[in-house]
Amino acid sequence: DGGITQSPKYLFRKEGQNVTLSCEQNLNHDAMYWYRQDPGQGLRLIYYSQIVNDFQKGDIAEGYSVSREKKESFPLTVTSAQKNPTAFYLCASSTPRAAFSMNTEAFFGQGTRLTVV
Amino acid sequence: AQKITQTQPGMFVQEKEAVTLDCTYDTSDPSYGLFWYKQPSSGEMIFLIYQGSYDQQNATEGRYSLNFQKARKSANLVISASQLGDSAMYFCAMRDGGTSYGKLTFGQGTILTVHP
């Protein structure tokens, strides 16, 4: 079945360590996104990518890094520079915009819950 | 810069009644799309409904309808005949066609509780 797979579902990290969250999609979508969600809060955009080998910073990119070497994959690295990384991380993908159309809803993975111990 | 505002942190509704969840937005681009998502306690994000800035009619999908008032920059979600399974967090989101094309921005969300 087509969809977006995030792994792992739960992740524990020691302070000072980098950790990479996986996101893979087989929907043939060009655009991919990473969001952070804190308890009871909305989704904040970390990074997004419209095409392979290109990505843009979102609203809270500091302390995070991404790569987009393949269309199917958009891994997120939470670096030691991220001061408060404990959160729920959601990956999403969508098709590129058709001419004059914004009708490209994002499909989401199940999320990764990261806890710093 | 695009911005989405949901001013209702929490809403309560009786089962089988209708409820309106508010969403206002701000963008300088004439071309944009508005989305509503539902997030149950499991954390998954479920797409509900879409409204384009050039659409002449309000969008409807089953029990969901979008009350789109372009001049007021509001895109409120109306859920008719509420069910217990509608209890969840609801997010409004927007994508515009400007320099930040592709950027999908979410509001803070509204927690809906349906009472039996």
Tab-separated table of all heavy atoms in Angstrom, chain A residues 33 35 37 40-45 48 50 57-59 88 90 94-97 100-110 113, chain B residues 31-33 35 37 39 41-45 47 50 52 54 89 91 95-97 99-109 111:
chain	number	residue	atom	x	y	z
A	33	TYR	N	7.840	17.323	4.025
A	33	TYR	CA	7.857	18.290	5.121
A	33	TYR	C	8.192	17.595	6.441
A	33	TYR	O	7.860	16.426	6.640
A	33	TYR	CB	6.477	18.928	5.301
A	33	TYR	CG	5.828	19.464	4.055
A	33	TYR	CD1	5.137	18.626	3.178
A	33	TYR	CD2	5.885	20.825	3.765
A	33	TYR	CE1	4.535	19.132	2.046
A	33	TYR	CE2	5.274	21.330	2.622
A	33	TYR	CZ	4.600	20.482	1.765
A	33	TYR	OH	3.999	20.978	0.638
A	35	TYR	N	7.526	18.474	10.596
A	35	TYR	CA	6.887	19.337	11.580
A	35	TYR	C	7.222	18.846	12.987
A	35	TYR	O	7.401	17.651	13.217
A	35	TYR	CB	5.361	19.323	11.431
A	35	TYR	CG	4.863	19.961	10.169
A	35	TYR	CD1	4.683	19.206	9.018
A	35	TYR	CD2	4.562	21.319	10.125
A	35	TYR	CE1	4.213	19.801	7.850
A	35	TYR	CE2	4.094	21.913	8.962
A	35	TYR	CZ	3.936	21.147	7.839
A	35	TYR	OH	3.477	21.734	6.676
A	37	GLN	N	5.632	18.973	16.932
A	37	GLN	CA	4.436	19.257	17.710
A	37	GLN	C	4.740	19.040	19.190
A	37	GLN	O	5.122	17.947	19.598
A	37	GLN	CB	3.265	18.362	17.274
A	37	GLN	CG	1.960	18.728	17.968
A	37	GLN	CD	0.792	17.876	17.514
A	37	GLN	OE1	0.965	16.748	17.053
A	37	GLN	NE2	-0.422	18.404	17.612
A	40	GLY	N	-0.266	19.540	23.256
A	40	GLY	CA	-1.362	20.497	23.222
A	40	GLY	C	-1.148	21.669	22.284
A	40	GLY	O	-1.913	22.633	22.325
A	41	GLN	N	-0.133	21.580	21.445
A	41	GLN	CA	0.198	22.699	20.559
A	41	GLN	C	-0.028	22.345	19.094
A	41	GLN	O	-0.310	21.193	18.753
A	41	GLN	CB	1.668	23.100	20.759
A	41	GLN	CG	2.017	23.497	22.172
A	41	GLN	CD	1.264	24.739	22.600
A	41	GLN	OE1	1.222	25.729	21.872
A	41	GLN	NE2	0.664	24.693	23.781
A	42	GLY	N	0.141	23.362	18.251
A	42	GLY	CA	0.009	23.148	16.819
A	42	GLY	C	1.277	22.590	16.208
A	42	GLY	O	2.252	22.297	16.911
A	43	LEU	N	1.267	22.439	14.884
A	43	LEU	CA	2.422	21.925	14.156
A	43	LEU	C	3.285	23.092	13.698
A	43	LEU	O	2.777	24.040	13.072
A	43	LEU	CB	1.970	21.131	12.928
A	43	LEU	CG	1.556	19.683	13.141
A	43	LEU	CD1	0.298	19.589	13.975
A	43	LEU	CD2	1.359	18.986	11.810
A	44	ARG	N	4.554	23.006	13.976
A	44	ARG	CA	5.493	24.041	13.526
A	44	ARG	C	6.430	23.448	12.486
A	44	ARG	O	7.002	22.375	12.698
A	44	ARG	CB	6.259	24.611	14.715
A	44	ARG	CG	5.383	25.418	15.668
A	44	ARG	CD	6.214	26.077	16.753
A	44	ARG	NE	6.754	25.112	17.703
A	44	ARG	CZ	7.673	25.400	18.610
A	44	ARG	NH1	8.170	26.627	18.683
A	44	ARG	NH2	8.094	24.481	19.450
A	45	LEU	N	6.606	24.162	11.395
A	45	LEU	CA	7.378	23.659	10.264
A	45	LEU	C	8.871	23.794	10.530
A	45	LEU	O	9.361	24.885	10.832
A	45	LEU	CB	6.987	24.433	9.001
A	45	LEU	CG	7.642	24.003	7.706
A	45	LEU	CD1	7.247	22.571	7.340
A	45	LEU	CD2	7.251	24.960	6.580
A	48	TYR	N	11.237	22.000	4.724
A	48	TYR	CA	10.451	21.398	3.672
A	48	TYR	C	11.272	21.353	2.390
A	48	TYR	O	12.222	22.123	2.210
A	48	TYR	CB	9.115	22.113	3.461
A	48	TYR	CG	9.183	23.540	3.001
A	48	TYR	CD1	8.817	23.898	1.699
A	48	TYR	CD2	9.538	24.561	3.882
A	48	TYR	CE1	8.842	25.218	1.286
A	48	TYR	CE2	9.571	25.875	3.469
A	48	TYR	CZ	9.212	26.206	2.180
A	48	TYR	OH	9.239	27.519	1.775
A	50	GLN	N	10.835	20.772	-1.934
A	50	GLN	CA	9.937	20.687	-3.092
A	50	GLN	C	10.458	19.724	-4.155
A	50	GLN	O	9.698	19.287	-5.023
A	50	GLN	CB	9.772	22.070	-3.732
A	50	GLN	CG	9.106	23.080	-2.829
A	50	GLN	CD	7.717	22.637	-2.431
A	50	GLN	OE1	6.859	22.369	-3.257
A	50	GLN	NE2	7.474	22.514	-1.137
A	57	LYS	N	14.418	26.152	4.834
A	57	LYS	CA	14.142	26.228	6.264
A	57	LYS	C	12.698	26.642	6.498
A	57	LYS	O	12.152	27.479	5.789
A	57	LYS	CB	15.070	27.253	6.921
A	57	LYS	CG	16.534	26.839	6.958
A	57	LYS	CD	17.370	27.887	7.676
A	57	LYS	CE	18.836	27.450	7.735
A	57	LYS	NZ	19.671	28.455	8.429
A	58	GLY	N	12.114	26.039	7.534
A	58	GLY	CA	10.806	26.456	7.967
A	58	GLY	C	10.928	27.498	9.062
A	58	GLY	O	11.881	28.277	9.100
A	59	ASP	N	9.999	27.470	9.998
A	59	ASP	CA	9.960	28.489	11.042
A	59	ASP	C	10.880	28.207	12.226
A	59	ASP	O	11.238	29.109	12.975
A	59	ASP	CB	8.518	28.636	11.543
A	59	ASP	CG	7.567	29.055	10.440
A	59	ASP	OD1	7.928	29.968	9.664
A	59	ASP	OD2	6.487	28.454	10.314
A	88	PHE	N	6.945	15.562	19.538
A	88	PHE	CA	6.378	14.630	18.573
A	88	PHE	C	6.704	15.184	17.186
A	88	PHE	O	6.423	16.349	16.899
A	88	PHE	CB	4.870	14.542	18.793
A	88	PHE	CG	4.149	13.537	17.963
A	88	PHE	CD1	4.555	12.207	17.956
A	88	PHE	CD2	3.048	13.889	17.211
A	88	PHE	CE1	3.879	11.263	17.199
A	88	PHE	CE2	2.354	12.947	16.457
A	88	PHE	CZ	2.777	11.639	16.452
A	90	LEU	N	6.406	14.948	13.038
A	90	LEU	CA	5.560	14.440	11.960
A	90	LEU	C	6.184	14.769	10.610
A	90	LEU	O	6.608	15.900	10.366
A	90	LEU	CB	4.166	15.068	12.027
A	90	LEU	CG	3.236	14.492	13.083
A	90	LEU	CD1	2.124	15.473	13.412
A	90	LEU	CD2	2.645	13.175	12.603
A	94	SER	N	3.432	15.761	-0.269
A	94	SER	CA	2.326	16.165	-1.128
A	94	SER	C	2.805	16.251	-2.569
A	94	SER	O	4.007	16.327	-2.839
A	94	SER	CB	1.720	17.500	-0.690
A	94	SER	OG	2.629	18.558	-0.899
A	95	THR	N	1.854	16.249	-3.499
A	95	THR	CA	2.191	16.378	-4.905
A	95	THR	C	2.556	17.826	-5.199
A	95	THR	O	2.162	18.725	-4.459
A	95	THR	CB	1.004	15.975	-5.789
A	95	THR	OG1	-0.115	16.786	-5.431
A	95	THR	CG2	0.642	14.531	-5.601
A	96	PRO	N	3.277	18.095	-6.267
A	96	PRO	CA	3.569	19.483	-6.595
A	96	PRO	C	2.312	20.190	-7.059
A	96	PRO	O	1.344	19.562	-7.450
A	96	PRO	CB	4.594	19.374	-7.729
A	96	PRO	CG	4.326	18.045	-8.337
A	96	PRO	CD	3.868	17.165	-7.211
A	97	ARG	N	2.360	21.483	-7.043
A	97	ARG	CA	1.192	22.256	-7.436
A	97	ARG	C	0.907	22.068	-8.929
A	97	ARG	O	1.779	22.205	-9.750
A	97	ARG	CB	1.471	23.731	-7.168
A	97	ARG	CG	0.325	24.649	-7.575
A	97	ARG	CD	0.664	26.096	-7.337
A	97	ARG	NE	1.773	26.557	-8.147
A	97	ARG	CZ	2.097	27.826	-8.284
A	97	ARG	NH1	1.416	28.747	-7.655
A	97	ARG	NH2	3.120	28.181	-9.030
A	100	PHE	N	-2.109	26.717	-11.325
A	100	PHE	CA	-3.168	27.505	-10.718
A	100	PHE	C	-3.979	26.733	-9.685
A	100	PHE	O	-5.077	27.115	-9.362
A	100	PHE	CB	-4.109	28.067	-11.792
A	100	PHE	CG	-3.387	28.844	-12.851
A	100	PHE	CD1	-3.350	28.384	-14.154
A	100	PHE	CD2	-2.719	30.011	-12.549
A	100	PHE	CE1	-2.660	29.090	-15.132
A	100	PHE	CE2	-2.020	30.719	-13.514
A	100	PHE	CZ	-1.994	30.254	-14.812
A	101	SER	N	-3.435	25.642	-9.172
A	101	SER	CA	-4.190	24.875	-8.193
A	101	SER	C	-3.404	24.735	-6.912
A	101	SER	O	-2.215	24.433	-6.929
A	101	SER	CB	-4.509	23.482	-8.738
A	101	SER	OG	-5.056	22.669	-7.710
A	102	MET	N	-4.053	24.958	-5.809
A	102	MET	CA	-3.431	24.756	-4.508
A	102	MET	C	-3.923	23.459	-3.879
A	102	MET	O	-3.620	23.166	-2.738
A	102	MET	CB	-3.776	25.925	-3.577
A	102	MET	CG	-3.133	27.228	-3.963
A	102	MET	SD	-1.404	27.256	-3.502
A	102	MET	CE	-0.643	27.232	-5.085
A	103	ASN	N	-4.695	22.687	-4.664
A	103	ASN	CA	-5.364	21.538	-4.088
A	103	ASN	C	-4.428	20.349	-3.980
A	103	ASN	O	-4.532	19.378	-4.727
A	103	ASN	CB	-6.579	21.159	-4.935
A	103	ASN	CG	-7.390	20.059	-4.277
A	103	ASN	OD1	-7.143	19.691	-3.142
A	103	ASN	ND2	-8.345	19.510	-4.996
A	104	THR	N	-3.487	20.464	-3.078
A	104	THR	CA	-2.530	19.377	-2.877
A	104	THR	C	-2.375	19.162	-1.387
A	104	THR	O	-1.443	19.677	-0.767
A	104	THR	CB	-1.176	19.713	-3.512
A	104	THR	OG1	-0.743	21.000	-3.055
A	104	THR	CG2	-1.262	19.724	-5.015
A	105	GLU	N	-3.317	18.387	-0.830
A	105	GLU	CA	-3.236	18.178	0.619
A	105	GLU	C	-2.034	17.319	0.953
A	105	GLU	O	-1.548	16.527	0.143
A	105	GLU	CB	-4.513	17.511	1.157
A	105	GLU	CG	-4.641	16.022	0.878
A	105	GLU	CD	-5.371	15.735	-0.411
A	105	GLU	OE1	-5.417	16.631	-1.271
A	105	GLU	OE2	-5.903	14.616	-0.542
A	106	ALA	N	-1.527	17.493	2.164
A	106	ALA	CA	-0.379	16.735	2.629
A	106	ALA	C	-0.845	15.447	3.300
A	106	ALA	O	-1.865	15.419	3.986
A	106	ALA	CB	0.440	17.569	3.607
A	107	PHE	N	-0.092	14.386	3.050
A	107	PHE	CA	-0.339	13.098	3.689
A	107	PHE	C	0.726	12.915	4.763
A	107	PHE	O	1.906	13.169	4.508
A	107	PHE	CB	-0.262	11.974	2.654
A	107	PHE	CG	-1.340	12.043	1.622
A	107	PHE	CD1	-1.226	12.895	0.529
A	107	PHE	CD2	-2.482	11.277	1.736
A	107	PHE	CE1	-2.222	12.972	-0.428
A	107	PHE	CE2	-3.486	11.338	0.785
A	107	PHE	CZ	-3.350	12.193	-0.297
A	108	PHE	N	0.316	12.449	5.920
A	108	PHE	CA	1.218	12.382	7.063
A	108	PHE	C	1.591	10.957	7.435
A	108	PHE	O	0.808	10.022	7.244
A	108	PHE	CB	0.578	13.045	8.280
A	108	PHE	CG	0.597	14.543	8.232
A	108	PHE	CD1	-0.352	15.234	7.501
A	108	PHE	CD2	1.566	15.258	8.907
A	108	PHE	CE1	-0.333	16.615	7.436
A	108	PHE	CE2	1.586	16.644	8.854
A	108	PHE	CZ	0.644	17.325	8.126
A	109	GLY	N	2.798	10.837	8.012
A	109	GLY	CA	3.193	9.591	8.638
A	109	GLY	C	2.593	9.500	10.029
A	109	GLY	O	1.857	10.386	10.472
A	110	GLN	N	2.921	8.415	10.729
A	110	GLN	CA	2.352	8.170	12.054
A	110	GLN	C	3.079	8.932	13.161
A	110	GLN	O	2.620	8.964	14.294
A	110	GLN	CB	2.377	6.669	12.358
A	110	GLN	CG	1.484	5.858	11.437
A	110	GLN	CD	0.031	6.216	11.594
A	110	GLN	OE1	-0.522	6.216	12.685
A	110	GLN	NE2	-0.630	6.557	10.493
A	113	ARG	N	7.933	9.921	18.350
A	113	ARG	CA	7.965	10.641	19.635
A	113	ARG	C	9.377	10.549	20.186
A	113	ARG	O	9.844	9.470	20.554
A	113	ARG	CB	6.959	10.029	20.606
A	113	ARG	CG	6.596	10.947	21.764
A	113	ARG	CD	5.364	10.442	22.511
A	113	ARG	NE	4.164	10.412	21.694
A	113	ARG	CZ	3.402	11.454	21.460
A	113	ARG	NH1	3.701	12.639	21.968
A	113	ARG	NH2	2.293	11.332	20.729
B	31	SER	N	-3.529	33.716	-4.585
B	31	SER	CA	-3.731	32.294	-4.827
B	31	SER	C	-3.290	31.503	-3.599
B	31	SER	O	-2.117	31.535	-3.225
B	31	SER	CB	-2.919	31.850	-6.049
B	31	SER	OG	-3.067	30.476	-6.277
B	32	TYR	N	-4.232	30.826	-2.978
B	32	TYR	CA	-3.899	30.053	-1.789
B	32	TYR	C	-4.925	28.946	-1.594
B	32	TYR	O	-6.010	28.955	-2.180
B	32	TYR	CB	-3.821	30.936	-0.539
B	32	TYR	CG	-5.036	31.799	-0.294
B	32	TYR	CD1	-6.119	31.324	0.442
B	32	TYR	CD2	-5.100	33.094	-0.806
B	32	TYR	CE1	-7.225	32.110	0.655
B	32	TYR	CE2	-6.209	33.891	-0.593
B	32	TYR	CZ	-7.270	33.399	0.135
B	32	TYR	OH	-8.370	34.178	0.346
B	33	GLY	N	-4.549	27.988	-0.775
B	33	GLY	CA	-5.441	26.886	-0.442
B	33	GLY	C	-5.543	26.746	1.061
B	33	GLY	O	-4.567	26.945	1.776
B	35	PHE	N	-6.894	24.223	4.282
B	35	PHE	CA	-7.114	22.819	4.613
B	35	PHE	C	-7.534	22.688	6.068
B	35	PHE	O	-7.112	23.476	6.917
B	35	PHE	CB	-5.823	22.009	4.428
B	35	PHE	CG	-5.188	22.138	3.075
B	35	PHE	CD1	-4.385	23.226	2.756
B	35	PHE	CD2	-5.374	21.159	2.113
B	35	PHE	CE1	-3.784	23.340	1.511
B	35	PHE	CE2	-4.775	21.268	0.865
B	35	PHE	CZ	-3.981	22.361	0.568
B	37	TYR	N	-7.538	19.596	9.087
B	37	TYR	CA	-7.103	18.251	9.464
B	37	TYR	C	-7.643	17.918	10.841
B	37	TYR	O	-7.828	18.804	11.689
B	37	TYR	CB	-5.567	18.170	9.521
B	37	TYR	CG	-4.893	18.126	8.185
B	37	TYR	CD1	-4.617	19.296	7.476
B	37	TYR	CD2	-4.518	16.910	7.614
B	37	TYR	CE1	-3.985	19.254	6.249
B	37	TYR	CE2	-3.892	16.856	6.389
B	37	TYR	CZ	-3.623	18.038	5.712
B	37	TYR	OH	-2.993	17.986	4.496
B	39	GLN	N	-6.830	15.463	14.223
B	39	GLN	CA	-5.796	14.659	14.874
B	39	GLN	C	-6.384	13.990	16.117
B	39	GLN	O	-6.530	14.611	17.161
B	39	GLN	CB	-4.582	15.515	15.265
B	39	GLN	CG	-3.433	14.682	15.806
B	39	GLN	CD	-2.241	15.527	16.230
B	39	GLN	OE1	-2.395	16.567	16.856
B	39	GLN	NE2	-1.037	15.066	15.891
B	41	SER	N	-6.360	11.237	19.353
B	41	SER	CA	-5.341	11.080	20.399
B	41	SER	C	-4.198	10.171	19.959
B	41	SER	O	-3.113	10.222	20.531
B	41	SER	CB	-5.986	10.529	21.672
B	41	SER	OG	-6.644	9.310	21.405
B	42	SER	N	-4.406	9.369	18.943
B	42	SER	CA	-3.341	8.491	18.423
B	42	SER	C	-2.225	9.279	17.744
B	42	SER	O	-1.124	8.760	17.551
B	42	SER	CB	-3.922	7.494	17.414
B	42	SER	OG	-4.539	8.195	16.343
B	43	GLY	N	-2.495	10.528	17.368
B	43	GLY	CA	-1.464	11.373	16.782
B	43	GLY	C	-1.479	11.454	15.261
B	43	GLY	O	-0.822	12.321	14.693
B	44	GLU	N	-2.196	10.561	14.587
B	44	GLU	CA	-2.220	10.629	13.126
B	44	GLU	C	-2.960	11.888	12.660
B	44	GLU	O	-3.783	12.436	13.373
B	44	GLU	CB	-2.908	9.385	12.561
B	44	GLU	CG	-4.362	9.275	12.981
B	44	GLU	CD	-5.032	7.999	12.507
B	44	GLU	OE1	-4.939	7.677	11.316
B	44	GLU	OE2	-5.636	7.332	13.358
B	45	MET	N	-2.632	12.355	11.481
B	45	MET	CA	-3.266	13.531	10.902
B	45	MET	C	-4.173	13.075	9.766
B	45	MET	O	-3.719	12.428	8.818
B	45	MET	CB	-2.213	14.495	10.359
B	45	MET	CG	-1.340	15.104	11.443
B	45	MET	SD	-2.191	16.314	12.445
B	45	MET	CE	-2.292	17.691	11.296
B	47	PHE	N	-6.767	14.235	6.790
B	47	PHE	CA	-7.248	15.337	5.959
B	47	PHE	C	-8.764	15.300	5.888
B	47	PHE	O	-9.368	14.242	5.663
B	47	PHE	CB	-6.648	15.224	4.561
B	47	PHE	CG	-7.320	16.091	3.540
B	47	PHE	CD1	-7.163	17.474	3.582
B	47	PHE	CD2	-8.107	15.542	2.549
B	47	PHE	CE1	-7.784	18.281	2.642
B	47	PHE	CE2	-8.727	16.341	1.603
B	47	PHE	CZ	-8.560	17.711	1.654
B	50	TYR	N	-10.842	20.751	1.793
B	50	TYR	CA	-9.997	21.761	1.141
B	50	TYR	C	-10.866	22.853	0.522
B	50	TYR	O	-11.949	22.582	-0.001
B	50	TYR	CB	-9.162	21.093	0.048
B	50	TYR	CG	-8.560	22.076	-0.928
B	50	TYR	CD1	-7.380	22.737	-0.621
B	50	TYR	CD2	-9.189	22.362	-2.143
B	50	TYR	CE1	-6.835	23.645	-1.506
B	50	TYR	CE2	-8.654	23.277	-3.016
B	50	TYR	CZ	-7.472	23.915	-2.713
B	50	TYR	OH	-6.928	24.814	-3.578
B	52	GLY	N	-10.126	26.283	-2.094
B	52	GLY	CA	-9.213	27.111	-2.853
B	52	GLY	C	-9.678	28.551	-2.871
B	52	GLY	O	-10.869	28.835	-2.821
B	54	TYR	N	-9.900	30.613	-5.194
B	54	TYR	CA	-10.708	30.979	-6.361
B	54	TYR	C	-11.999	30.182	-6.475
B	54	TYR	O	-12.783	30.385	-7.405
B	54	TYR	CB	-9.891	30.796	-7.642
B	54	TYR	CG	-8.686	31.716	-7.721
B	54	TYR	CD1	-7.403	31.195	-7.729
B	54	TYR	CD2	-8.834	33.095	-7.781
B	54	TYR	CE1	-6.290	32.021	-7.801
B	54	TYR	CE2	-7.742	33.937	-7.843
B	54	TYR	CZ	-6.466	33.392	-7.859
B	54	TYR	OH	-5.376	34.222	-7.919
B	89	MET	N	-8.346	16.814	18.124
B	89	MET	CA	-7.784	18.143	17.860
B	89	MET	C	-8.000	18.429	16.378
B	89	MET	O	-7.792	17.550	15.533
B	89	MET	CB	-6.284	18.148	18.199
B	89	MET	CG	-5.581	19.456	17.909
B	89	MET	SD	-5.707	20.631	19.243
B	89	MET	CE	-4.146	20.378	20.056
B	91	PHE	N	-7.060	21.073	13.147
B	91	PHE	CA	-6.112	22.083	12.680
B	91	PHE	C	-6.554	22.668	11.351
B	91	PHE	O	-6.963	21.949	10.438
B	91	PHE	CB	-4.716	21.478	12.495
B	91	PHE	CG	-4.043	21.083	13.778
B	91	PHE	CD1	-4.012	19.760	14.170
B	91	PHE	CD2	-3.432	22.035	14.576
B	91	PHE	CE1	-3.386	19.387	15.342
B	91	PHE	CE2	-2.803	21.662	15.757
B	91	PHE	CZ	-2.787	20.338	16.137
B	95	ARG	N	-1.683	26.949	2.384
B	95	ARG	CA	-0.551	27.017	1.481
B	95	ARG	C	-0.836	28.154	0.508
B	95	ARG	O	-1.947	28.248	-0.013
B	95	ARG	CB	-0.379	25.716	0.714
B	95	ARG	CG	0.693	25.801	-0.365
B	95	ARG	CD	0.744	24.556	-1.228
B	95	ARG	NE	1.255	23.418	-0.487
B	95	ARG	CZ	0.573	22.297	-0.289
B	95	ARG	NH1	-0.650	22.176	-0.749
B	95	ARG	NH2	1.127	21.304	0.382
B	96	ASP	N	0.153	29.028	0.283
B	96	ASP	CA	-0.072	30.067	-0.727
B	96	ASP	C	0.913	29.924	-1.873
B	96	ASP	O	1.827	29.102	-1.827
B	96	ASP	CB	-0.046	31.466	-0.095
B	96	ASP	CG	1.331	31.891	0.399
B	96	ASP	OD1	2.342	31.376	-0.117
B	96	ASP	OD2	1.374	32.732	1.306
B	97	GLY	N	0.703	30.704	-2.908
B	97	GLY	CA	1.484	30.548	-4.129
B	97	GLY	C	2.582	31.578	-4.275
B	97	GLY	O	3.131	31.756	-5.351
B	99	THR	N	6.269	33.558	-2.699
B	99	THR	CA	7.675	33.157	-2.658
B	99	THR	C	7.897	31.963	-1.753
B	99	THR	O	8.871	31.244	-1.898
B	99	THR	CB	8.556	34.323	-2.178
B	99	THR	OG1	8.078	34.766	-0.912
B	99	THR	CG2	8.511	35.473	-3.165
B	100	SER	N	7.010	31.756	-0.824
B	100	SER	CA	7.128	30.594	0.054
B	100	SER	C	6.264	29.458	-0.452
B	100	SER	O	5.782	28.638	0.316
B	100	SER	CB	6.730	30.960	1.485
B	100	SER	OG	5.379	31.392	1.524
B	101	TYR	N	6.090	29.410	-1.748
B	101	TYR	CA	5.268	28.356	-2.340
B	101	TYR	C	5.675	26.988	-1.800
B	101	TYR	O	6.824	26.637	-1.747
B	101	TYR	CB	5.422	28.344	-3.861
B	101	TYR	CG	5.061	27.021	-4.456
B	101	TYR	CD1	3.753	26.541	-4.359
B	101	TYR	CD2	6.007	26.226	-5.064
B	101	TYR	CE1	3.427	25.293	-4.862
B	101	TYR	CE2	5.680	24.982	-5.579
B	101	TYR	CZ	4.389	24.526	-5.475
B	101	TYR	OH	4.069	23.312	-5.969
B	102	GLY	N	4.687	26.236	-1.458
B	102	GLY	CA	4.914	24.902	-0.945
B	102	GLY	C	4.895	24.871	0.557
B	102	GLY	O	4.666	23.823	1.158
B	103	LYS	N	5.106	25.978	1.208
B	103	LYS	CA	5.130	26.003	2.662
B	103	LYS	C	3.711	25.833	3.182
B	103	LYS	O	2.824	26.609	2.843
B	103	LYS	CB	5.726	27.323	3.141
B	103	LYS	CG	5.889	27.431	4.630
B	103	LYS	CD	6.540	28.761	4.973
B	103	LYS	CE	6.725	28.922	6.462
B	103	LYS	NZ	7.331	30.228	6.791
B	104	LEU	N	3.483	24.833	3.967
B	104	LEU	CA	2.167	24.528	4.520
B	104	LEU	C	2.193	24.896	5.991
B	104	LEU	O	2.897	24.260	6.777
B	104	LEU	CB	1.858	23.050	4.324
B	104	LEU	CG	0.475	22.547	4.703
B	104	LEU	CD1	-0.598	23.257	3.897
B	104	LEU	CD2	0.384	21.046	4.500
B	105	THR	N	1.430	25.930	6.354
B	105	THR	CA	1.456	26.469	7.713
B	105	THR	C	0.183	26.099	8.453
B	105	THR	O	-0.909	26.234	7.905
B	105	THR	CB	1.608	27.997	7.669
B	105	THR	OG1	2.807	28.316	6.958
B	105	THR	CG2	1.697	28.572	9.060
B	106	PHE	N	0.327	25.686	9.728
B	106	PHE	CA	-0.788	25.247	10.545
B	106	PHE	C	-1.103	26.249	11.643
B	106	PHE	O	-0.229	26.970	12.126
B	106	PHE	CB	-0.475	23.896	11.197
B	106	PHE	CG	-0.581	22.733	10.256
B	106	PHE	CD1	0.424	22.476	9.332
B	106	PHE	CD2	-1.692	21.911	10.272
B	106	PHE	CE1	0.317	21.408	8.448
B	106	PHE	CE2	-1.806	20.841	9.394
B	106	PHE	CZ	-0.796	20.592	8.482
B	107	GLY	N	-2.372	26.255	12.056
B	107	GLY	CA	-2.775	27.016	13.222
B	107	GLY	C	-2.477	26.247	14.496
B	107	GLY	O	-1.928	25.134	14.457
B	108	GLN	N	-2.859	26.814	15.637
B	108	GLN	CA	-2.562	26.209	16.932
B	108	GLN	C	-3.487	25.055	17.279
B	108	GLN	O	-3.206	24.301	18.198
B	108	GLN	CB	-2.640	27.274	18.026
B	108	GLN	CG	-1.484	28.244	18.012
B	108	GLN	CD	-0.170	27.547	18.305
B	108	GLN	OE1	0.579	27.174	17.400
B	108	GLN	NE2	0.128	27.329	19.568
B	109	GLY	N	-4.597	24.962	16.596
B	109	GLY	CA	-5.503	23.847	16.829
B	109	GLY	C	-6.612	24.156	17.820
B	109	GLY	O	-6.486	25.054	18.667
B	111	ILE	N	-9.258	21.847	20.360
B	111	ILE	CA	-9.639	20.533	20.883
B	111	ILE	C	-11.165	20.484	20.975
B	111	ILE	O	-11.773	21.286	21.689
B	111	ILE	CB	-9.026	20.274	22.271
B	111	ILE	CG1	-7.501	20.297	22.182
B	111	ILE	CG2	-9.496	18.920	22.805
B	111	ILE	CD1	-6.816	20.168	23.523
